[in-house]
Amino acid sequence: MLKWSHDAITERSKACPWRMERLKMAGVLKDNPGFEFLAECWNDDPALQIVVKKLVAKDNGSDEGTSRWMKAAGIAIDEEHYRKVANPKDIDRRTYNSRQHQDYLKPEEVLECEKFRIQDTYGMSVTPELVEQDDGGRLIKNRTYAKTLSNSHSSVTSATSVVRFPLPVRKS
């Protein structure tokens, strides 16, 4: 059965409430649901990706074994994401722009768009290491902000108007 066939989508949507409940119970009971289950949730549903991330981030370190497992699961999930963003086929700007106006993108299309954004931003081939450093666009935002601060002594001009905003004073 194809992953995006009607039957497959229907089957996954029926499994989503059960998976969501199992993830929530794992969080409450500090239970280890298993890497395969987390990976299955991660790959099938963006809503479950959010719950998996919260579950991994919520780990409070009360049980050393669970804590190690949660950290390892978090690292494995992140590495899998970096690899998936670096590996899809290349798309052109026209395809990227048209997808920005679509209501729904398949997960593969989301990854292709993310790869294009990174490649376009940095002007280099996308590797898992670059995806990790990019951190969802935060790297370039921080570099742009730092450059703005270094070029401006006391204020920043808004890009949408001619209004100048004073910079916050740094306390040493």
Side-chain angles (χ1 to χ4, degrees), residues 9-172:
I9 292 170
T10 304
E11 188 176 315
R12 280 198 316 277
S13 67
K14 288 179 183 176
C16 185
W18 173 80
R19 289 178 177 160
M20 185 74 75
E21 189 62 31
R22 184 168 171 196
L23 287 170
K24 286 180 182 178
M25 290 305 292
V28 171
L29 300 175
K30 295 183 175 59
D31 185 29
N32 179 339
F35 181 76
E36 283 78 25
F37 176 73
L38 289 178
E40 185 178 300
C41 293
W42 184 267
N43 291 327
D44 278 349
D45 191 339
L48 293 177
Q49 288 179 3
I50 295 167
V51 179
V52 169
K53 278 191 168 195
K54 286 181 180 179
L55 181 64
V56 170
K58 186 179 179 181
D59 176 40
N60 61 9
S62 59
D63 175 20
E64 188 176 325
T66 302
S67 181
R68 276 197 319 266
W69 181 87
M70 294 294 256
K71 287 178 185 170
I75 290 168
I77 287 169
D78 286 343
E79 287 175 352
E80 176 73 6
H81 173 73
Y82 304 148
R83 188 186 59 73
K84 281 186 170 184
V85 171
N87 287 335
K89 69 176 185 171
D90 291 335
I91 60 171
D92 59 10
R93 180 170 302 282
R94 185 175 182 188
T95 303
Y96 176 80
N97 288 338
S98 73
R99 287 181 181 174
Q100 297 307 302
H101 302 288
Q102 293 179 2
D103 291 333
Y104 176 79
L105 295 175
K106 294 177 182 176
E108 296 87 19
E109 294 172 334
V110 172
L111 295 171
E112 291 166 358
C113 287
E114 182 68 1
K115 180 179 180 181
F116 176 85
R117 181 194 63 76
I118 293 170
Q119 196 167 16
D120 187 55
T121 300
Y122 300 103
M124 57 191 336
S125 62
V126 179
T127 63
E129 294 79 19
L130 180 58
V131 175
E132 180 179 9
Q133 290 175 356
D134 176 64
D135 193 21
R138 288 183 189 91
L139 175 65
I140 197 68
K141 288 176 189 171
N142 290 340
R143 293 182 74 183
T144 303
Y145 180 70
K147 187 175 182 180
T148 302
L149 288 179
S150 68
N151 290 340
S152 163
H153 299 293
S154 61
S155 63
V156 176
T157 303
S158 169
T160 58
S161 69
V162 292
V163 178
R164 292 181 67 79
F165 298 98
L167 289 174
V169 178
R170 289 188 185 158
K171 296 180 181 178
S172 300

